[in-house]
């Protein structure tokens, strides 16, 4: 196969659409303190000691300038029933916080209510990879509520709730 004539990116996209992934909303603030956020499914644990995880995001996204400038963020693990939040935070050109139950955390970053938990983090390293940016983040605080629900997952362009096998 000639890699110059094959579009492996589309094969990669199709491959990962067949794999279920957790749904996350990432929030931060822009330099003026306005809340910013986006939906992600590319979040993964890297190390427990130190507590480091990764996030992948498009450098051309509307949220990227705020994420890069602030260097801090909050990762929310969405629960079943939060499909509307996931859709809202993945929609361009809208006020993503309108109608969402959220409050500022102690550091001023937006906390979305009703998730299965959240982690505050500082960005340690940004690795450019094509049109994406891989963020290595160190967790600085975690919150896990006592009333966790099944997670919201994304599979083949749709949101799903899990059930025991």
């Amino acid at each position: 196969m000639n890699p110059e004539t094959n579009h492996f990116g589309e094969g990669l996209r199709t491959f990962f659409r067949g794999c279920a992934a957790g749904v996350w909303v990432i929030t931060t603030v822009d330099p003026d303190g306005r809340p910013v956020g986006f939906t992600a499914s590319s979040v993964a644990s890297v190390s427990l000691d130190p507590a480091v995880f990764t996030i992948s995001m498009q450098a051309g996204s509307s949220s990227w300038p705020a994420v890069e400038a602030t260097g801090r963020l909050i990762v929310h693990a969405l629960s079943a029933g939060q499909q509307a939040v996931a859709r809202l935070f993945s929609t361009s050109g809208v006020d993503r916080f309108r109608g969402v139950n959220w409050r500022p955390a102690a550091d001023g970053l937006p906390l979305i209510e009703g998730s299965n938990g959240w982690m505050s983090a500082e960005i340690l390293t940004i690795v450019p990879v094509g049109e994406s940016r891989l963020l290595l983040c160190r967790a600085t605080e975690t919150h896990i509520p006592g009333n966790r629900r099944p997670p919201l997952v994304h599979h083949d362009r749709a949101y799903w709730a899990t059930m025991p096998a």
Side-chain angles (χ1 to χ4, degrees):
M1 288 186 159
N2 182 346
E4 296 176 358
T5 60
N6 292 297
H7 299 284
F8 293 113
E10 189 56 39
L12 185 72
R13 178 180 291 147
T14 302
F15 176 83
F16 279 105
R17 279 184 185 149
C19 301
V23 181
W24 314 82
V25 166
I26 314 299
T27 60
T28 191
V29 291
D30 70 12
D32 295 325
R34 290 183 298 253
V36 173
F38 63 96
T39 300
S41 59
S42 297
V43 177
S45 173
V46 173
S47 170
L48 297 179
D49 188 15
V52 175
F53 61 93
T54 64
I55 300 170
S56 177
M57 68 181 294
Q58 293 292 310
S61 76
S62 61
S63 300
W64 172 244
V67 169
E68 183 179 35
T70 305
R72 298 176 298 122
L73 47 83
I74 297 178
V75 178
H76 304 81
L78 296 191
S79 62
Q82 289 189 297
Q83 297 90 327
V85 173
R87 284 187 189 96
L88 179 62
F89 277 82
S90 66
T91 303
S92 297
V94 300
D95 178 355
R96 294 177 176 164
F97 289 86
R98 185 178 180 157
V100 173
N101 190 13
W102 70 278
R103 64 180 169 82
D107 63 1
L109 298 185
L111 274 176
I112 295 174
E113 302 290 339
S115 71
N116 270 343
W118 53 265
M119 293 187 296
S120 293
E122 65 178 352
I123 299 171
L124 298 174
T125 305
I126 300 170
V127 180
V129 182
E131 296 176 0
S132 295
R133 297 297 177 261
L134 181 66
L135 312 176
L136 284 173
C137 305
R138 183 180 65 84
T140 56
E141 183 179 359
T142 60
H143 173 75
I144 311 299
N147 61 340
R148 295 175 73 181
R149 294 178 297 277
L152 183 65
V153 296
H154 190 259
H155 173 261
D156 200 19
R157 299 188 222 182
Y159 295 110
W160 302 80
T162 60
M163 63 175 50

